[in-house]
Amino acid sequence: MSSKLIVRQAVSDDYVALSHFLSYEYFIHRHLDWRTALDWLGQQPFLIVEQDSEIVACFTAPNEVPSVSWVRLFACSAKVSRSEVWELCFQRALPLFPASITSITALGIENWFVKLMRDTSFRVAQEIIVFERLEQKLPDLPTPEDLFIRQMEPLDLRSVAALDALCFPPLWEMPLETLQLAYLQSGYASVIEQDDQIIAYQITTESLSSAHLARIAVLPQFQRAGVGATILADTINYFKKRNVQRLTVNTQNDNYYSQALYKKFGFHLLRERYPVFLHSL
């Protein structure tokens, strides 16, 4: 007969045990993040489930922005019921969220996690779709005048964070600390200036013979004026000079403006689709 499941808040002393647990378990959901899952240790809510003093599950969904919390990690041993443990963790976590949180979201990457989410109170709010561009010519597009493209510098990050906040809803907002991590992990990060004001930026990661456009944003008043096309063309050319011909990018299934831009540059839609689950509080 199995003993009772015990849920408690994780503490810093759990780091080694959690690391060991995550090294051997199969059922692990990790959010696509600039941090590792255990970097969130010490923030609320970060829960551990134990059975007979052994870790059998963990859950964390800390908030980076005031109104939204993403499920950053959910891992569960095959010894216990994933649906039972999820519900146990989620109900225990609910009182731990700040009062400002209006929604909890989770990205469905693994099939088992998608199935689990579909059986909960979460609903599909959007889907993440993936585009790929292979070696080909750039479209012949006019470049707006008075634009200055340069590599991003650390001193730009506060201005970039302010720009980012104007371009994305809370669900997709990237605060300053996260932008700093993204910048440090980038293969190429650049900005566009007009009259000494940063009006657009991009951050792209690099891996062997491919690159991934992780973030691109243009101030709303400069959108649909060729600024996004200019910084995208510069990014493609940068990696082409480095003999990197494959470029991928993610966007939302209802972001038709970004999809049109990528298609114009020869990106092709792949079959990959990742549902974004949302639970409203």
Side-chain angles (χ1 to χ4, degrees):
M1 181 176 177
S2 299
S3 58
K4 185 178 179 181
L5 297 173
I6 306 297
V7 184
R8 64 174 176 84
Q9 178 69 24
V11 296
S12 57
D13 288 346
D14 293 314
Y15 185 94
V16 174
L18 280 168
S19 179
H20 180 79
F21 173 72
L22 295 173
S23 297
Y24 288 94
E25 292 302 328
Y26 172 77
F27 296 107
I28 301 176
H29 162 73
R30 291 184 178 91
H31 184 64
L32 297 178
D33 214 336
W34 297 101
R35 297 170 176 83
T36 68
L38 294 185
D39 286 342
W40 299 104
L41 193 60
Q43 298 198 34
Q44 293 268 27
F46 200 130
L47 302 175
I48 284 177
V49 182
E50 292 178 320
Q51 188 177 63
D52 298 327
S53 300
E54 176 187 354
I55 295 176
V56 294
C58 56
F59 168 97
T60 185
N63 64 298
E64 283 189 295
V65 296
S67 60
V68 178
S69 280
W70 283 92
V71 176
R72 305 283 175 174
L73 172 69
F74 176 66
C76 188
S77 169
K79 300 176 183 178
V80 293
S81 165
R82 292 185 293 281
S83 57
E84 178 186 353
V85 169
W86 167 267
E87 193 62 26
L88 191 63
C89 287
F90 189 66
Q91 293 303 320
R92 186 66 61 89
L94 283 175
L96 303 177
F97 290 106
S100 63
I101 297 297
T102 60
S103 60
I104 303 163
T105 50
L107 182 60
I109 304 172
E110 307 84 3
N111 289 335
W112 71 267
F113 188 71
V114 171
K115 184 178 184 302
L116 177 67
M117 287 293 96
R118 292 191 186 279
D119 293 333
T120 69
S121 58
F122 283 66
R123 64 176 179 83
V124 176
Q126 285 179 316
E127 285 187 315
I128 299 299
I129 56 178
V130 184
F131 285 86
E132 176 188 59
R133 184 185 193 276
L134 301 176
E135 182 179 5
Q136 54 191 291
K137 290 183 178 180
L138 289 172
D140 186 17
L141 298 173
T143 301
E145 297 180 358
D146 304 323
L147 297 185
F148 176 59
I149 305 177
R150 61 172 176 81
Q151 290 202 10
M152 189 184 297
E153 299 176 356
L155 290 176
D156 296 323
L157 289 170
R158 288 194 179 278
S159 296
V160 168
L163 182 158
D164 193 86
L166 295 172
C167 297
F168 295 96
L171 181 63
W172 301 111
E173 189 177 333
M174 188 181 288
L176 177 59
E177 184 180 353
T178 304
L179 274 168
Q180 290 171 332
L181 293 171
Y183 171 74
L184 291 173
Q185 297 174 46
S186 66
Y188 180 50
S190 60
V191 298
I192 288 184
E193 288 183 326
Q194 185 180 70
D195 298 328
D196 297 322
Q197 177 192 11
I198 294 177
I199 64 171
Y201 85 95
Q202 68 78 30
I203 293 177
T204 302
T205 58
E206 184 177 0
S207 176
L208 299 176
S209 61
S210 67
H212 180 73
L213 180 59
R215 196 75 164 179
I216 182 171
V218 178
L219 277 177
Q221 61 267 38
F222 293 95
Q223 292 176 7
R224 296 174 174 81
V227 178
T230 299
I231 200 166
L232 181 55
D234 173 75
T235 302
I236 293 170
N237 279 326
Y238 174 87
F239 285 103
K240 187 175 182 180
K241 291 175 183 177
R242 295 170 61 87
N243 203 31
V244 176
Q245 307 294 350
R246 181 177 183 265
L247 182 63
T248 58
V249 63
N250 301 339
T251 191
Q252 297 81 35
N253 65 316
D254 55 0
N255 190 338
Y256 303 114
Y257 170 69
S258 66
Q259 292 180 44
L261 175 64
Y262 301 139
K263 289 175 182 177
K264 186 180 293 185
F265 275 80
F267 285 81
H268 297 283
L269 182 64
L270 301 181
R271 291 186 176 182
E272 301 170 53
R273 301 180 80 91
Y274 304 104
V276 178
F277 293 94
L278 184 144
H279 174 92
S280 297
L281 297 180

